[in-house]
Amino acid sequence: MSVMLARVRGALGDLGERFRVTFPGGQDEYETGYQRITEVVVSKVSGSVVMDLAEGTDYTLEPVDGIVTLTTALETTDTLMVAGKAFSLFTDEEITGYITDAVRRHTHERETSQRVRDDHGFIRIERTPITLANLPEIELEPLTVLATIEALWDMTTDASSDVDVWTAEGTHLSRGQRFQQLTAQREALQARYEDFCRQLNIGMNRIEVGTLRRVSYLTGRLVPVFAPREYDEYSPKGPRRLLPPVDAPNEDPSELPSPNWGGWGP
C-alpha cells in the first residue's frame, strides 16, 4: 500500500511539503496553518528541554484542518512545536480508499493457480484470489492509473459547482475551465487504462470464457455446472461447483407454493 500511495501521489502531483511551526504557550488549541497533514510530531519546549507529546493522551489532531488540541494548556513560558507533512489535495486515508476501490475493480473474480503435490502424492491445484499483496508487478502501472481516475472523479465533482464570473469592469474568470480540464484528463487516463487492459487482458473488461447453462427437460431446473480441471488434478472435495447468478426480473412476490407435488417442474 505504501508503494501505491507514493505512485498515486506522484501521478496526481500531490507530493506534499515538510513544515515546522512553533507557537507560544498559554493555549490549548492551535491552528498549524496547514491542511491534510500527516507524520505529525508535537513537542513541548520548556527552556532547553524538548519533550514529545503522545497523540490521544496529550493531544488530539484534526488532520484535515490541521488543528492540534492539547489535553492541558501549556504554561505561558513554554513553546509548542509542530512538525509534519502537508498535502494540497488528499489525505493518506482518502487515497487509500481510492486504491482499495481500484483493487476491487481491477482484480474482480481473478485468481492465481499453482500445481502442488499433497502428502498423499496426489497433484492438486491451489487457487488464490488476487489482491494487492500478490498482484503481478506489471499491473502496478495500470492500477495506479485506475486509482488516479478515482481521485479525479472526486475532483471533477467538486469543480462541477464552479461557475464563470463576470464583473462590471469586463473581467472574466473562467472557473468552469477547471472542470473541463479535469474531465479531459480523466478521459485520457481512462483510455490509457483500457489500453493496458487490452494488451494484458486484465481488469473488468478482460476476455472471459463462460459456459452456457441448460434446463433439464425432466425437472425444469438448471443442470449443474462445474469448473474445468486439469487432466492430472485431484481434489478430495471433488469438482468445484459453479453458481452463476440467475436473473429473475419478473419473480412472483406472492411466495405461493407450486401446485406440482414436491415443487418439481417449471
XYZ file of all heavy atoms in Angstrom, residues 128-212:
671
model
N -5.594 -19.022 -5.490
C -5.551 -17.937 -4.529
C -6.115 -16.675 -5.172
O -5.660 -16.294 -6.257
C -4.105 -17.663 -4.063
O -3.537 -18.878 -3.562
C -4.075 -16.597 -2.979
N -7.099 -16.036 -4.560
C -7.620 -14.776 -5.126
C -6.516 -13.728 -5.211
O -5.658 -13.604 -4.324
C -8.704 -14.364 -4.132
C -9.097 -15.631 -3.436
C -7.846 -16.460 -3.364
N -6.527 -12.951 -6.282
C -5.528 -11.904 -6.486
C -5.912 -10.681 -5.657
O -7.046 -10.208 -5.715
C -5.411 -11.533 -7.972
C -4.876 -12.724 -8.772
C -4.488 -10.330 -8.161
C -4.718 -12.440 -10.248
N -4.963 -10.203 -4.876
C -5.125 -8.993 -4.082
C -3.946 -8.066 -4.371
O -3.097 -8.351 -5.218
C -5.182 -9.326 -2.585
O -3.942 -9.958 -2.192
C -6.334 -10.274 -2.278
N -3.904 -6.967 -3.651
C -2.785 -6.037 -3.827
C -1.469 -6.670 -3.414
O -0.411 -6.336 -3.947
C -3.041 -4.759 -3.027
C -2.010 -3.635 -3.164
C -1.875 -3.185 -4.614
C -2.375 -2.451 -2.273
N -1.513 -7.631 -2.474
C -0.284 -8.244 -1.980
C 0.383 -9.139 -3.020
O 1.610 -9.193 -3.090
C -0.582 -9.043 -0.711
N -0.415 -9.853 -3.834
C 0.178 -10.765 -4.821
C -0.083 -10.321 -6.250
O -0.008 -11.132 -7.173
C -0.362 -12.187 -4.614
C -1.876 -12.262 -4.741
O -2.548 -11.264 -4.957
N -2.419 -13.456 -4.592
N -0.407 -9.055 -6.451
C -0.647 -8.541 -7.800
C 0.658 -8.549 -8.596
O 1.712 -8.151 -8.086
C -1.192 -7.116 -7.724
C -1.679 -6.496 -9.034
C -2.989 -7.143 -9.460
C -1.882 -4.997 -8.866
N 0.642 -9.035 -9.843
C 1.876 -9.015 -10.650
C 2.421 -7.597 -10.793
O 1.664 -6.622 -10.893
C 1.418 -9.578 -12.003
C 0.224 -10.410 -11.679
C -0.461 -9.718 -10.545
N 3.744 -7.494 -10.806
C 4.371 -6.176 -10.831
C 4.019 -5.395 -12.091
O 3.937 -4.163 -12.062
C 5.887 -6.337 -10.709
C 6.635 -5.024 -10.536
C 8.113 -5.222 -10.276
O 8.545 -6.389 -10.186
O 8.834 -4.214 -10.163
N 3.779 -6.098 -13.198
C 3.478 -5.399 -14.448
C 2.126 -4.687 -14.388
O 1.854 -3.775 -15.177
C 3.505 -6.398 -15.620
C 3.555 -5.646 -16.951
C 2.307 -7.320 -15.572
C 3.748 -6.530 -18.146
N 1.272 -5.067 -13.421
C -0.049 -4.456 -13.308
C -0.081 -3.290 -12.334
O -1.146 -2.699 -12.115
C -1.077 -5.506 -12.888
C -1.245 -6.634 -13.882
C -2.366 -7.580 -13.505
O -3.363 -7.089 -12.916
O -2.263 -8.781 -13.784
N 1.046 -2.927 -11.749
C 1.062 -1.795 -10.837
C 0.774 -0.482 -11.565
O 0.077 0.392 -11.034
C 2.417 -1.715 -10.125
C 2.721 -2.808 -9.104
C 4.085 -2.583 -8.479
C 1.643 -2.863 -8.033
N 1.298 -0.343 -12.779
C 1.064 0.901 -13.507
C -0.400 1.077 -13.901
O -0.971 2.145 -13.655
C 1.970 0.973 -14.735
C 1.896 2.314 -15.458
C 2.955 2.451 -16.537
O 3.770 1.519 -16.695
O 2.968 3.493 -17.221
N -1.058 0.079 -14.525
C -2.482 0.273 -14.802
C -3.320 0.458 -13.544
O -4.299 1.205 -13.557
C -2.881 -1.002 -15.561
C -1.804 -1.974 -15.303
C -0.571 -1.188 -15.098
N -2.953 -0.191 -12.427
C -3.682 0.015 -11.187
C -3.502 1.444 -10.681
O -4.445 2.055 -10.157
C -3.219 -0.986 -10.135
C -3.934 -0.911 -8.785
C -5.419 -1.198 -8.944
C -3.307 -1.886 -7.794
N -2.301 1.995 -10.846
C -2.065 3.392 -10.473
C -2.937 4.327 -11.298
O -3.510 5.292 -10.777
C -0.586 3.737 -10.658
O 0.226 2.875 -9.853
C -0.305 5.175 -10.272
N -3.047 4.047 -12.591
C -3.889 4.872 -13.458
C -5.341 4.803 -13.014
O -6.046 5.818 -12.948
C -3.739 4.432 -14.925
C -4.699 5.211 -15.817
C -2.306 4.643 -15.398
N -5.827 3.609 -12.665
C -7.211 3.458 -12.251
C -7.477 4.182 -10.932
O -8.525 4.835 -10.773
C -7.554 1.972 -12.109
C -9.005 1.647 -11.752
C -9.964 2.228 -12.779
C -9.199 0.145 -11.622
N -6.563 4.096 -9.971
C -6.728 4.812 -8.712
C -6.695 6.327 -8.925
O -7.424 7.073 -8.264
C -5.642 4.392 -7.719
N -5.868 6.779 -9.858
C -5.828 8.211 -10.182
C -7.142 8.665 -10.784
O -7.631 9.774 -10.505
C -4.670 8.499 -11.142
O -3.443 8.018 -10.583
C -4.532 9.983 -11.396
N -7.747 7.821 -11.615
C -9.053 8.146 -12.193
C -10.094 8.301 -11.084
O -10.931 9.216 -11.120
C -9.475 7.066 -13.203
C -8.539 7.083 -14.413
C -10.918 7.264 -13.644
C -8.785 5.941 -15.385
N -10.056 7.406 -10.087
C -10.997 7.511 -8.975
C -10.832 8.840 -8.247
O -11.818 9.474 -7.857
C -10.772 6.345 -8.001
C -11.052 4.976 -8.579
C -12.520 4.792 -8.922
O -13.375 5.280 -8.152
O -12.810 4.185 -9.965
N -9.587 9.273 -8.045
C -9.350 10.558 -7.373
C -9.829 11.728 -8.227
O -10.411 12.696 -7.715
C -7.861 10.698 -7.052
N -9.601 11.648 -9.532
C -10.032 12.734 -10.416
C -11.545 12.853 -10.486
O -12.074 13.935 -10.721
C -9.450 12.523 -11.817
C -7.949 12.731 -11.968
C -7.512 12.458 -13.402
C -7.554 14.147 -11.558
N -12.255 11.746 -10.289
C -13.716 11.813 -10.262
C -14.193 12.720 -9.126
O -15.111 13.540 -9.309
C -14.317 10.419 -10.108
C -14.665 9.759 -11.399
C -14.078 8.662 -11.958
C -15.701 10.151 -12.320
N -14.668 8.352 -13.166
C -15.668 9.245 -13.412
C -16.636 11.173 -12.332
C -16.543 9.336 -14.488
C -17.515 11.271 -13.416
C -17.463 10.350 -14.466
N -13.590 12.594 -7.942
C -13.977 13.458 -6.827
C -13.601 14.907 -7.098
O -14.359 15.828 -6.759
C -13.315 12.979 -5.543
C -14.042 11.799 -4.923
O -15.047 11.360 -5.508
O -13.609 11.307 -3.864
N -12.433 15.131 -7.700
C -12.034 16.496 -8.030
C -12.967 17.100 -9.078
O -13.310 18.287 -9.025
C -10.585 16.512 -8.524
C -9.564 16.090 -7.483
S -7.876 16.046 -8.137
C -7.639 17.767 -8.568
N -13.406 16.280 -10.039
C -14.324 16.767 -11.068
C -15.675 17.115 -10.467
O -16.295 18.124 -10.832
C -14.498 15.708 -12.170
O -13.216 15.346 -12.674
C -15.342 16.250 -13.308
N -16.148 16.290 -9.538
C -17.418 16.585 -8.869
C -17.344 17.889 -8.098
O -18.289 18.686 -8.087
C -17.795 15.431 -7.927
O -17.863 14.211 -8.673
C -19.126 15.686 -7.256
N -16.212 18.133 -7.443
C -16.040 19.385 -6.710
C -16.002 20.578 -7.664
O -16.567 21.646 -7.374
C -14.759 19.322 -5.876
C -14.474 20.629 -5.155
O -15.232 20.964 -4.236
O -13.492 21.310 -5.523
N -15.359 20.408 -8.824
C -15.241 21.516 -9.771
C -16.530 21.757 -10.551
O -16.687 22.825 -11.163
C -14.095 21.249 -10.753
N -17.458 20.798 -10.541
C -18.688 20.955 -11.331
C -19.591 22.065 -10.799
O -20.459 22.550 -11.522
C -19.451 19.639 -11.357
O -19.863 19.269 -10.053
N -19.410 22.440 -9.534
C -20.238 23.505 -8.960
C -19.655 24.903 -9.193
O -20.292 25.898 -8.839
C -20.426 23.276 -7.462
O -19.172 23.263 -6.790
N -18.462 25.004 -9.764
C -17.868 26.315 -10.052
C -18.523 26.929 -11.287
O -18.773 26.241 -12.275
C -16.358 26.182 -10.284
C -15.623 25.734 -9.037
O -16.188 25.891 -7.935
O -14.500 25.213 -9.160
N -18.801 28.213 -11.226
C -19.419 28.929 -12.346
C -18.505 30.079 -12.749
O -17.721 30.599 -11.946
C -20.818 29.456 -11.979
C -21.773 28.302 -11.701
C -20.750 30.378 -10.771
N -18.611 30.468 -14.004
C -17.822 31.589 -14.501
C -18.262 32.888 -13.832
O -19.439 33.064 -13.470
C -17.964 31.711 -16.016
C -17.327 30.543 -16.745
O -16.658 29.736 -16.074
O -17.513 30.431 -17.966
N -17.302 33.791 -13.665
C -17.564 35.077 -13.004
C -17.340 36.196 -14.007
O -16.289 36.259 -14.665
C -16.649 35.252 -11.771
C -16.866 36.625 -11.140
C -16.886 34.147 -10.761
N -18.342 37.074 -14.107
C -18.249 38.262 -14.952
C -18.434 39.487 -14.057
O -19.407 39.581 -13.312
C -19.322 38.255 -16.048
C -19.189 37.134 -17.026
C -19.639 35.862 -16.903
C -18.534 37.200 -18.286
N -19.322 35.105 -17.992
C -18.636 35.911 -18.882
C -17.876 38.213 -19.007
C -18.114 35.607 -20.124
C -17.354 37.911 -20.248
C -17.464 36.632 -20.795
N -17.498 40.411 -14.117
C -17.593 41.633 -13.320
C -18.055 42.796 -14.186
O -18.047 42.727 -15.424
C -16.236 41.971 -12.682
O -15.284 42.260 -13.724
C -15.729 40.799 -11.844
N -18.482 43.879 -13.524
C -18.969 45.055 -14.248
C -17.859 45.729 -15.040
O -18.120 46.434 -16.024
C -19.589 46.048 -13.260
N -16.610 45.503 -14.631
C -15.482 46.095 -15.351
C -15.095 45.294 -16.588
O -14.164 45.672 -17.312
C -14.266 46.215 -14.427
C -14.441 47.215 -13.287
C -15.256 46.622 -12.152
O -15.533 45.406 -12.192
O -15.629 47.378 -11.234
N -15.778 44.183 -16.828
C -15.467 43.374 -18.000
C -14.492 42.248 -17.738
O -14.049 41.576 -18.675
N -14.140 42.024 -16.471
C -13.240 40.929 -16.137
C -13.993 39.604 -16.164
O -15.105 39.500 -15.645
C -12.621 41.141 -14.745
O -11.958 42.414 -14.717
C -11.617 40.040 -14.426
N -13.372 38.620 -16.777
C -13.991 37.298 -16.896
C -13.095 36.253 -16.245
O -11.933 36.092 -16.626
C -14.228 36.944 -18.365
C -14.762 35.560 -18.563
N -14.432 34.775 -19.648
C -15.597 34.803 -17.796
C -15.054 33.614 -19.545
N -15.763 33.610 -18.445
N -13.637 35.558 -15.247
C -12.929 34.455 -14.593
C -13.586 33.146 -15.011
O -14.707 32.841 -14.589
C -12.982 34.616 -13.070
C -12.376 35.895 -12.485
C -12.538 35.927 -10.973
C -10.919 36.022 -12.868
N -12.903 32.403 -15.854
C -13.453 31.155 -16.380
C -13.197 30.026 -15.388
O -12.300 29.203 -15.549
C -12.819 30.825 -17.739
O -13.363 29.640 -18.266
N -14.029 29.966 -14.333
C -13.862 28.931 -13.321
C -14.290 27.564 -13.849
O -13.850 26.531 -13.344
C -14.685 29.294 -12.085
C -14.284 30.618 -11.444
C -15.148 30.933 -10.248
N -14.965 29.954 -9.179
C -15.738 29.876 -8.096
N -16.747 30.718 -7.954
N -15.515 28.970 -7.177
N -15.170 27.539 -14.867
C -15.578 26.263 -15.435
C -14.481 25.572 -16.219
O -14.615 24.383 -16.559
N -13.387 26.288 -16.510
C -12.299 25.673 -17.265
C -11.636 24.555 -16.454
O -11.150 23.577 -17.027
C -11.271 26.728 -17.642
C -10.153 26.218 -18.543
C -9.198 27.320 -18.963
O -9.339 28.476 -18.539
N -8.234 26.983 -19.770
N -11.640 24.694 -15.139
C -11.061 23.636 -14.298
C -11.838 22.347 -14.466
O -11.249 21.253 -14.560
C -11.078 24.080 -12.830
C -10.556 23.031 -11.856
C -10.385 23.629 -10.468
N -9.988 22.624 -9.501
C -10.821 22.008 -8.667
N -12.109 22.329 -8.690
N -10.388 21.110 -7.823
N -13.160 22.419 -14.539
C -13.975 21.226 -14.754
C -13.674 20.599 -16.110
O -13.547 19.383 -16.234
C -15.459 21.593 -14.654
C -16.389 20.477 -15.019
C -16.672 19.463 -14.122
C -16.967 20.423 -16.278
C -17.532 18.425 -14.455
C -17.821 19.387 -16.624
C -18.098 18.388 -15.707
N -13.527 21.417 -17.127
C -13.246 20.908 -18.466
C -11.874 20.232 -18.515
O -11.720 19.166 -19.129
C -13.317 22.047 -19.482
C -14.689 22.707 -19.577
C -14.675 23.948 -20.437
O -13.637 24.325 -21.008
N -15.813 24.620 -20.533
N -10.880 20.819 -17.871
C -9.547 20.231 -17.877
C -9.518 18.906 -17.116
O -8.880 17.934 -17.555
C -8.545 21.216 -17.270
C -8.304 22.450 -18.125
C -7.394 23.458 -17.437
O -7.286 23.477 -16.223
N -6.748 24.293 -18.233
N -10.208 18.857 -15.969
C -10.239 17.613 -15.204
C -10.967 16.517 -15.986
O -10.543 15.351 -15.976
C -10.934 17.846 -13.861
C -10.140 18.631 -12.811
C -11.017 18.961 -11.611
C -8.916 17.845 -12.366
N -12.046 16.887 -16.663
C -12.781 15.897 -17.454
C -11.916 15.354 -18.588
O -11.894 14.143 -18.848
C -14.071 16.512 -18.012
O -14.878 16.988 -16.928
C -14.856 15.500 -18.823
N -11.212 16.252 -19.272
C -10.349 15.809 -20.370
C -9.217 14.912 -19.865
O -8.889 13.898 -20.499
C -9.782 17.030 -21.097
N -8.637 15.254 -18.729
C -7.564 14.428 -18.171
C -8.079 13.065 -17.735
O -7.427 12.027 -17.967
C -6.921 15.149 -16.983
C -5.824 14.376 -16.276
C -4.600 14.143 -17.141
O -4.481 14.704 -18.231
N -3.669 13.335 -16.658
N -9.258 13.036 -17.141
C -9.829 11.765 -16.714
C -10.125 10.869 -17.911
O -9.879 9.656 -17.873
C -11.100 12.022 -15.911
C -11.595 10.802 -15.136
C -12.935 11.040 -14.506
N -13.978 11.199 -15.497
C -14.662 12.310 -15.708
N -14.398 13.393 -14.990
N -15.600 12.363 -16.628
N -10.651 11.429 -18.979
C -10.949 10.638 -20.173
C -9.669 10.119 -20.821
O -9.632 8.984 -21.319
C -11.748 11.480 -21.163
C -13.162 11.810 -20.681
C -13.890 12.743 -21.622
O -13.231 13.261 -22.566
O -15.099 12.958 -21.443
N -8.613 10.936 -20.803
C -7.337 10.477 -21.356
C -6.772 9.315 -20.538
O -6.261 8.329 -21.092
C -6.346 11.636 -21.406
N -6.868 9.411 -19.204
C -6.377 8.322 -18.359
C -7.243 7.075 -18.509
O -6.736 5.952 -18.436
C -6.342 8.775 -16.897
C -5.268 9.803 -16.528
C -5.382 10.185 -15.067
C -3.878 9.272 -16.829
N -8.548 7.253 -18.714
C -9.415 6.107 -18.918
C -9.038 5.353 -20.189
O -9.014 4.113 -20.211
C -10.878 6.573 -18.995
C -11.887 5.443 -19.105
C -11.956 4.600 -17.847
O -11.843 5.129 -16.738
N -12.137 3.304 -18.012
N -8.733 6.101 -21.255
C -8.291 5.456 -22.499
C -6.964 4.733 -22.294
O -6.745 3.641 -22.839
C -8.174 6.499 -23.605
N -6.078 5.321 -21.493
C -4.800 4.673 -21.229
C -4.991 3.385 -20.423
O -4.348 2.357 -20.705
C -3.885 5.634 -20.463
C -2.483 5.097 -20.236
C -1.672 6.029 -19.375
N -0.328 5.519 -19.168
C 0.517 5.970 -18.251
N 0.143 6.961 -17.458
N 1.712 5.455 -18.119
N -5.877 3.423 -19.426
C -6.125 2.220 -18.633
C -6.733 1.113 -19.487
O -6.337 -0.059 -19.380
C -7.049 2.564 -17.467
C -7.490 1.359 -16.672
C -6.605 0.701 -15.823
C -8.785 0.869 -16.779
C -6.998 -0.414 -15.104
C -9.191 -0.241 -16.058
C -8.294 -0.878 -15.222
O -8.691 -1.983 -14.518
N -7.683 1.455 -20.333
C -8.299 0.445 -21.193
C -7.294 -0.117 -22.186
O -7.378 -1.296 -22.561
C -9.496 1.055 -21.916
C -10.650 1.406 -20.979
C -11.782 2.110 -21.698
O -11.622 2.387 -22.920
O -12.822 2.389 -21.061
N -6.327 0.693 -22.611
C -5.279 0.187 -23.497
C -4.421 -0.835 -22.766
O -4.057 -1.885 -23.325
C -4.429 1.356 -23.999
C -3.425 0.929 -25.058
O -3.803 0.163 -25.965
O -2.260 1.349 -24.978
N -4.072 -0.563 -21.514
C -3.342 -1.545 -20.700
C -4.144 -2.838 -20.583
O -3.597 -3.940 -20.716
C -3.072 -0.981 -19.302
C -1.842 -0.126 -19.205
C -1.921 1.184 -18.761
C -0.600 -0.630 -19.543
C -0.794 1.980 -18.671
C 0.546 0.155 -19.446
C 0.440 1.466 -19.011
N -5.452 -2.709 -20.324
C -6.280 -3.894 -20.128
C -6.359 -4.740 -21.391
O -6.342 -5.973 -21.322
C -7.683 -3.471 -19.678
S -7.726 -2.750 -18.021
N -6.433 -4.102 -22.544
C -6.496 -4.860 -23.796
C -5.189 -5.589 -24.063
O -5.187 -6.731 -24.538
C -6.832 -3.921 -24.955
C -8.293 -3.506 -25.027
C -8.593 -2.820 -26.339
N -7.821 -1.592 -26.483
C -8.266 -0.385 -26.124
N -9.474 -0.273 -25.591
N -7.518 0.683 -26.276
N -4.069 -4.946 -23.782
C -2.788 -5.583 -24.051
C -2.502 -6.749 -23.114
O -1.938 -7.766 -23.534
C -1.669 -4.542 -23.937
C -1.720 -3.441 -24.986
C -0.586 -2.452 -24.835
O 0.458 -2.762 -24.289
N -0.782 -1.244 -25.315
N -2.888 -6.616 -21.839
C -2.577 -7.644 -20.849
C -3.779 -8.533 -20.519
O -3.628 -9.481 -19.743
C -2.079 -6.981 -19.555
C -0.812 -6.124 -19.680
C -0.518 -5.427 -18.357
C 0.366 -6.975 -20.103
N -4.947 -8.226 -21.098
C -6.189 -8.961 -20.816
C -6.450 -9.001 -19.306
O -6.583 -10.064 -18.684
C -6.134 -10.381 -21.379
C -7.513 -11.027 -21.418
O -8.524 -10.350 -21.593
N -7.552 -12.340 -21.250
N -6.555 -7.828 -18.711
C -6.785 -7.689 -17.273
C -7.949 -6.730 -17.065
O -8.484 -6.155 -18.021
C -5.525 -7.160 -16.551
C -5.072 -5.831 -17.178
C -4.409 -8.191 -16.569
C -3.874 -5.211 -16.499
N -8.341 -6.555 -15.818
C -9.415 -5.627 -15.500
C -10.786 -6.245 -15.733
O -10.936 -7.420 -16.090
N -11.819 -5.430 -15.509
C -13.187 -5.919 -15.626
C -13.613 -6.117 -17.079
O -14.625 -6.791 -17.343
C -14.143 -4.948 -14.929
C -13.897 -4.809 -13.429
S -15.147 -3.819 -12.601
C -16.578 -4.874 -12.748
N -12.888 -5.554 -18.047
C -13.226 -5.717 -19.457
C -12.409 -6.808 -20.142
O -12.386 -6.873 -21.369
C -13.026 -4.392 -20.198
C -14.029 -3.337 -19.776
O -15.150 -3.655 -19.386
N -13.633 -2.070 -19.840
N -11.755 -7.654 -19.371
C -10.941 -8.708 -19.959
C -11.836 -9.753 -20.624
O -13.025 -9.883 -20.306
C -10.072 -9.370 -18.892
C -10.859 -10.158 -17.864
C -9.949 -10.668 -16.756
N -10.672 -11.490 -15.798
C -11.368 -11.026 -14.783
N -11.448 -9.705 -14.597
N -12.004 -11.832 -13.961
N -11.246 -10.505 -21.534
C -11.981 -11.560 -22.230
C -12.109 -12.765 -21.294
O -11.121 -13.252 -20.750
C -11.253 -11.963 -23.531
C -11.175 -10.760 -24.476
C -11.969 -13.116 -24.202
C -10.380 -11.026 -25.725
N -13.326 -13.227 -21.112
C -13.591 -14.377 -20.257
C -14.309 -15.450 -21.054
O -15.067 -15.160 -21.984
C -14.442 -13.978 -19.053
C -13.776 -12.970 -18.126
C -14.629 -12.658 -16.914
O -14.636 -13.477 -15.971
O -15.301 -11.613 -16.925
N -14.074 -16.705 -20.673
C -14.730 -17.847 -21.294
C -15.794 -18.369 -20.336
O -15.490 -18.706 -19.185
C -13.712 -18.959 -21.631
C -14.426 -20.164 -22.236
C -12.651 -18.432 -22.586
N -17.037 -18.414 -20.800
C -18.131 -18.875 -19.971
C -18.726 -20.171 -20.496
O -18.382 -20.647 -21.585
N -19.607 -20.757 -19.707
C -20.291 -21.992 -20.072
C -21.794 -21.732 -20.070
O -22.340 -21.247 -19.071
C -19.962 -23.112 -19.080
O -18.548 -23.320 -19.047
C -20.643 -24.410 -19.485
N -22.443 -22.056 -21.189
C -23.889 -21.889 -21.261
C -24.570 -22.932 -20.386
O -24.161 -24.093 -20.334
C -24.366 -22.027 -22.710
C -23.874 -20.956 -23.689
C -24.393 -21.252 -25.094
C -24.326 -19.571 -23.244
